Amino acid sequence: MSVSRESLWETMKEKGYSRREFMEFCGFAAVAAGLGTQATAAVAATFEKKGRPPVVWLHFQECTCCSESFIRGSHPVVADVLLDAISLDYTQTLQAAAGTAAEKCLHDTMKNYAGKYILLVEGSVPTGADGAYCCIAGESAEEILRKAARDAAAIIAWGNCASFGCVQAAKPNPTNATAISRLVGKPVINVPGCPPIADVMAAVVTHILMFGRGPELDALGRPKEFYGRRVHDTCYRRPYYDAGLFVDAWDDEGARKGYCLFRMGCRGPVTYNACSVTRWNGGVSYPIQSGHGCIGCSENGFWDNGPFYRHLPSTPGFGIESTADTIGLGLGIGVAVGVAAHAVTTNIRKRPLIAETVKESSPAGQTEDEGAK
Amino acid sequence: MSKRIVIDPVTRIEGHLRIEAVVENGVVKDAFSAGTMVRGIEKILKGRDPRDAWAFTERVCGVCTTVHALASCRSVEDALGIEVPRNAELVRNLMFCAQFVQDHVVHFYHLHALDWVDVVSMLKADPVAASKIAQSLSAWPRSNPGHFAAVQTRLKKYVESGQLGIFANGYWGHKAYKLPPEVNLIAVSHYLDALEWQKEIVKIHAIFGGKNPHPNYLVGGVPCSFNIDEVNAINTERLNHVASLIKDAITFVEQVYVPDLLAIAGFYKDWAAIGGGLENYLAYGDLPTRGIRDVGSYLLPRGAILGRNLNEVHEVNGKDEKEIREYISHSWYKYGGGDEVGLHPFRGETEFNYTGPKPPYDQLNVEGKYSWLKTPRWKEHPMEVGPLARMLVAYAKGNTDVKELVGVVLGKLDVPVTALFSTLGRTAARGVETQIVAHWMKGFFDELVANIRNGEVRTHTRYHWDPDTWPAAAEGVGLTEAPRGALAHWISIKDKAIDNYQLVVPSTWNASPRDTKGQRSSYEASLIGTPVANVDQPVEILRTIHSFDPCLACAVHLYDPSGKQIHQVQFN
């Protein structure tokens, strides 16, 4: 293809963005990609190059929440980038063509851009029943994936379904829903979450476009720039945890003061994600900020690490809760033991200080005893 | 000359849908709708904590995210006899409305518009003329020639680049496209505006539920708390944010979506006689104003219409085993008592039984089983569900908001009330509903503020949170409306765990295969008689199928093969 394609900078210029706004966007993209603002110039240079890399987006066993999240990108320019910086050649959610005409888009891109297209996968692949649990155009998901992965320049697994199997892979996994990394025989960037945060999705794609390589990954194949920290460690409610101030019942006084949700089952201490830093929907909130614990949706097998309202992570297969307040409830996750112990010791250590703080911050000197339990 | 055509994948929908249609002399003579993906969520739910079910079932669909969570919470609350505080109901109503408005707008522009709007034709448009037309339609501030020229230039570059992305291989230039270039330009411009706006309205979900898609819900109420003396709760700043989002939503719907809908519909009046399909409509209704048990208080009323008779609305009871039943004669499952019987969801029994061709295949065996969807029936009748069903039930029940706006729309298009029973009517009903629901949001918000002003801030009912307070066995049903239509979850709780869980969802009603008697469901029925000018470019078929806003991930499911008798539980 020798068609002259315009660069992102040209596109933005035509849309009325100033050079300064373009540079601001490059700064945002650099930060979003985990590079820091010092990389802005390099990013700008990348975006000034010509060409829109072809992108193929496959859908298998999913609920389309990843596609929905993808279009929630919070920077106005990001939506433009995704329309103008890439060529989204195949996406069952948005493309105009259907049936044979849509399939032609897929096959043309695979043929004309062999080794050059980026493959995005939403959904897990069911390997049971000879592939009959998920077929598109009469072909099994497994077969479609194998063919599309073969000549892809990079593969991104969107969301927990493609990364780890998600809800359909929860016990007993009736369709043998499988993570795509187990089927393609080449490296996959896992971007888990149910769904992943929109700006994280945009940044992962941007990262590849800018540097011609994927971001650094953790042991589960997740980009460290977004999955390197526990939600708990970056949570604005962390001081309440350290101070032993907890929500003990829904909508209690602690809930109305925004105390820590650990005792309500929050999985923040065992979940690696960007929620408490990047936040959701343009930085408006994240689950804990709106009063519900984290359910750990970026973790492998999180559905079987429940029930969600048991306040300590437990080994799967436990009965339905009866005494959630018993510490040391057959813990299956090492880190949780530390979490619980930490909570107990900080409580004891800080008790006098806490009592004082609570007294000072209460109207008319009313004391509450949440912290002194 | 008869030809069997296959459309797979049907794009611009949620999930995996395959349509096989028999076209004879340019008209669809027969049609078969197949869901080609299955996950098995209900089987996965067995044995889990009922209070977790909302999170599992919410993942049934990420497009109509929230509606399954709501149905699930309600089913558990019904089983355990929990009444949520009014504030929780108001927050749920606000989230419900936000979902409807967002979903309907995204459907119109991003999933449906390209069936009516020729993207390539807009390259010939005169931006000044387009601006004149747009300004005559509404006061939307972006309707200036400069803006339209910029959109046009951007798309020109796109087309000239040779990489058409999502517009590649579209049916551009097909003679079924009838809009003037300027109207196409307006529509494409608003396609981009809608893409920008839709991410704003869902911030209501982020504020009350922490994120979107898949905000958090809670059995017994909602997880957020109100405190107007605290930065760490829903306070005045958060409420202001919600208020401004509602205001912007009303503006967008009234100045962009509805005017576009009317303008475009005016060029396609022939579609008021195409795609009507079934003559029966079902709505569970929602938006309670005096508690979930007071069905008469719902702003969206409950009821069923048979034979398009708007003078009679039948009562609907989700627990009556004679009313709702699912059949599997043409679905890849098997029943212990034979595949010809219909079972109420409380008696569900299912086992995968794939008898279709081994992939890769060219055609399904439509004489036998051909879909992962089961076939639900109401008193043996196939029913259409969705915005049209809701608006018709509301209209027939004399809802003044609905009657008035339907009258305005019919008047502007200069079509009779029977025009509602069509592809065009379905699409228009969705717009009518969006405008009404956007305004209702304002009412719910005002009531919420009034409650807080009066010191009523409760958002959760605590008395049955602890499983130790539960009976040994309980059953419940949660009825609601998804943007795509009537949705219900049935739960059976035993020894503090889920014993049986079932969903019957909107697209199962609409997209299912034939039943035991050979009666077609909505999609198959509505395609009969649809003109198809070019079998290689079946844009007409897409128009009718998209008018239902398909959502297939929901529609396919599996439940536990225990098949036991469940006793009736009374609402009291």
Side-chain angles (χ1 to χ4, degrees), chain A residues 3 5 52 63-64 71 97 304, chain B residues 11 14 48 62 161 163 198:
Chain A
V3 178
R5 289 175 281 147
R52 286 188 295 136
C63 75
T64 315
I71 63 171
D304 288 326
Chain B
T11 50
E14 194 297 319
R48 297 183 190 262
S161 78
Q163 285 183 296
Q198 55 82 30

Side-chain angles (χ1 to χ4, degrees), chain B residues 234-315:
Chain B
I234 304 289
N235 58 13
T236 316
E237 177 273 330
R238 299 266 102 178
L239 292 168
N240 273 343
H241 197 164
V242 173
S244 75
L245 292 166
I246 293 171
K247 186 167 158 281
D248 291 349
I250 291 170
T251 302
F252 192 90
V253 169
E254 291 191 340
Q255 293 189 2
V256 185
Y257 172 28
V258 173
D260 280 0
L261 173 68
L262 291 171
I264 293 170
F267 289 92
Y268 290 106
K269 285 193 206 174
D270 49 332
W271 284 82
I274 300 169
L278 300 177
E279 302 192 341
N280 311 320
Y281 301 90
L282 172 72
Y284 295 150
D286 206 305
L287 299 175
T289 56
R290 289 191 303 272
I292 190 71
R293 293 183 186 179
D294 186 348
V295 178
S297 80
Y298 295 8
L299 292 186
L300 286 169
R302 179 176 299 174
I305 290 168
L306 295 175
R308 296 186 182 167
N309 176 5
L310 299 184
N311 297 315
E312 188 180 12
V313 179
H314 303 266
E315 296 218 345

Side-chain angles (χ1 to χ4, degrees), chain A residues 185-237:
Chain A
K186 54 203 288 192
V188 172
I189 300 166
N190 285 333
V191 186
C194 191
I197 300 170
D199 295 326
V200 168
M201 296 173 82
V204 172
V205 173
T206 310
H207 191 122
I208 296 170
L209 300 183
M210 275 191 281
F211 311 111
R213 59 181 166 83
E216 198 178 328
L217 307 178
D218 72 1
L220 290 174
R222 306 177 291 194
K224 283 183 180 171
E225 56 196 286
F226 302 112
Y227 299 91
R229 303 216 175 267
R230 297 187 304 166
V231 169
H232 184 61
D233 294 339
T234 46
C235 182
Y236 78 102
R237 295 193 183 194

Side-chain angles (χ1 to χ4, degrees), chain A residues 90-111:
Chain A
Y90 184 77
T91 158
Q92 286 166 36
T93 306
L94 291 172
Q95 77 185 106
T100 320
E103 290 302 287
K104 187 176 183 313
C105 294
L106 173 63
H107 299 138
D108 285 354
T109 298
M110 281 163 55
K111 194 173 85 201

Side-chain angles (χ1 to χ4, degrees), chain B residues 5 14 78 111 118 122 129 179 197 211 248-249 262 295 307 349 386 436 439 447 458 460 475 522 537 555:
Chain B
I5 61 169
E14 194 297 319
D78 180 41
L111 306 183
D118 187 332
M122 63 160 272
L179 300 180
W197 169 83
K211 64 198 269 266
D248 291 349
L262 291 171
V295 178
E349 61 162 287
I436 290 168
H439 281 280
E447 190 184 335
R458 288 175 307 130
H460 188 256
E475 295 90 22
S522 302
Q537 298 192 325

Side-chain angles (χ1 to χ4, degrees), chain B residues 79 164 191 254 269 292 302 338 363 379 400 458 473 525 569:
Chain B
L164 284 174
Y191 178 107
E254 291 191 340
K269 285 193 206 174
I292 190 71
R302 179 176 299 174
Q363 280 192 346
K379 293 188 175 176
T400 45
R458 288 175 307 130
V569 182

Side-chain angles (χ1 to χ4, degrees), chain B residues 240-559:
Chain B
N240 273 343
H241 197 164
V242 173
S244 75
L245 292 166
I246 293 171
K247 186 167 158 281
D248 291 349
I250 291 170
T251 302
F252 192 90
V253 169
E254 291 191 340
Q255 293 189 2
V256 185
Y257 172 28
V258 173
D260 280 0
L261 173 68
L262 291 171
I264 293 170
F267 289 92
Y268 290 106
K269 285 193 206 174
D270 49 332
W271 284 82
I274 300 169
L278 300 177
E279 302 192 341
N280 311 320
Y281 301 90
L282 172 72
Y284 295 150
D286 206 305
L287 299 175
T289 56
R290 289 191 303 272
I292 190 71
R293 293 183 186 179
D294 186 348
V295 178
S297 80
Y298 295 8
L299 292 186
L300 286 169
R302 179 176 299 174
I305 290 168
L306 295 175
R308 296 186 182 167
N309 176 5
L310 299 184
N311 297 315
E312 188 180 12
V313 179
H314 303 266
E315 296 218 345
V316 174
N317 178 353
K319 291 185 176 177
D320 184 340
E321 297 208 9
K322 290 196 281 298
E323 292 194 16
I324 295 166
R325 290 190 179 167
E326 286 194 293
Y327 291 85
I328 57 159
S329 318
H330 290 283
S331 316
W332 289 311
Y333 303 96
K334 62 179 163 202
Y335 280 167
D339 289 1
E340 305 307 301
V341 297
L343 297 179
H344 183 270
F346 268 155
R347 293 164 168 260
E349 61 162 287
T350 300
E351 233 182 294
F352 285 153
N353 177 29
Y354 184 73
T355 56
K358 191 177 164 189
Y361 53 78
D362 292 328
Q363 280 192 346
L364 291 169
N365 171 22
V366 296
E367 302 305 312
K369 296 175 181 283
Y370 61 92
S371 178
W372 284 116
L373 273 64
K374 297 175 145 201
T375 307
R377 292 292 179 253
W378 182 77
K379 293 188 175 176
E380 308 299 317
H381 299 287
M383 309 296 286
E384 173 174 334
V385 301
L388 177 58
R390 281 190 296 263
M391 291 300 97
L392 288 173
V393 169
Y395 188 93
K397 283 210 157 184
N399 179 301
T400 45
D401 291 342
V402 173
K403 265 201 132 94
E404 191 183 329
L405 195 53
V406 166
V408 169
V409 168
L410 294 174
K412 280 199 170 159
L413 292 175
D414 188 25
V415 289
V417 74
T418 49
L420 289 169
F421 309 119
S422 69
T423 295
L424 192 73
R426 208 169 283 122
T427 298
R430 191 172 286 108
V432 167
E433 177 173 80
T434 309
Q435 184 163 332
I436 290 168
V437 163
H439 281 280
W440 283 345
M441 259 198 289
K442 179 94 182 59
F444 295 133
F445 178 81
D446 292 345
E447 190 184 335
L448 188 61
V449 170
N451 286 351
I452 297 167
R453 189 186 305 122
N454 297 333
E456 173 51 77
V457 294
R458 288 175 307 130
T459 57
H460 188 256
T461 298
R462 212 174 291 172
Y463 54 78
H464 278 318
W465 178 254
D466 181 358
D468 287 341
T469 67
W470 299 354
E475 295 90 22
V477 62
L479 301 169
T480 181
E481 286 285 340
R484 288 150 190 82
L487 166 68
H489 289 199
W490 285 261
I491 192 169
S492 159
I493 302 169
K494 228 184 197 157
D495 302 327
K496 304 177 191 176
I498 295 170
D499 187 51
N500 195 358
Y501 200 103
Q502 332 244 340
L503 309 82
V504 179
V505 314
S507 294
T508 314
W509 287 98
N510 288 341
S512 44
R514 287 155 168 71
D515 63 20
T516 306
K517 296 176 183 169
Q519 297 183 106
R520 296 183 182 94
S521 300
S522 302
Y523 289 10
E524 295 183 352
S526 64
L527 285 175
I528 309 294
T530 298
V532 179
N534 176 355
V535 290
D536 297 321
Q537 298 192 325
V539 64
E540 301 94 336
I541 290 178
L542 291 180
R543 285 177 178 177
T544 291
I545 293 298
H546 282 153
S547 74
F548 288 97
D549 191 4
C551 182
L552 270 285
C554 296
V556 174
H557 52 90
L558 154 75
Y559 37 86

